[in-house]
Amino acid sequence: MSDSAPFQQQPAPSSDKWNVLSIVALVISLLGFNIIAVILGFIALNQVGKSGERGKGLANAAIIIGLVSIILGFILGFFFLSGVLANA
């Protein structure tokens, strides 16, 4: 008498293929091309959802890095311009 069920459900094999666009988006976000990285990150996230490839975390990281860098750029630019205009 066996305790294991005759039909055990096997886990679905995960795809070992990485989404290239998510890798490119992460590299571009680290290089400072943030708007492009955010756009490519969203496209890669869509592709990963449809194809089941790996790279969802990389796409999310590219989006987060890109958006945070853009926001910090606006904040620092505002302080820089306010300082320049205050001294003029």
Side-chain angles (χ1 to χ4, degrees):
M1 199 162 171
S2 173
D3 288 332
S4 63
F7 298 106
Q8 290 182 350
Q9 198 170 21
Q10 298 293 326
S14 63
S15 174
D16 288 336
K17 187 177 176 189
W18 284 86
N19 184 283
V20 176
L21 197 58
S22 64
I23 297 170
V24 170
L26 181 64
V27 170
I28 287 177
S29 71
L30 294 175
L31 292 176
F33 300 103
N34 300 315
I35 296 173
I36 298 170
V38 170
I39 294 169
L40 291 180
F42 278 115
I43 294 171
L45 207 57
N46 188 18
Q47 287 180 352
V48 167
K50 289 181 180 178
S51 68
E53 295 174 321
R54 297 172 70 184
K56 183 177 181 181
L58 297 178
N60 283 331
I63 293 168
I64 292 169
I65 292 170
L67 289 176
V68 168
S69 298
I70 291 169
I71 292 169
L72 285 176
F74 278 124
I75 291 171
L76 292 175
F78 173 75
F79 284 128
F80 176 76
L81 286 177
S82 65
V84 167
L85 295 177
N87 290 331

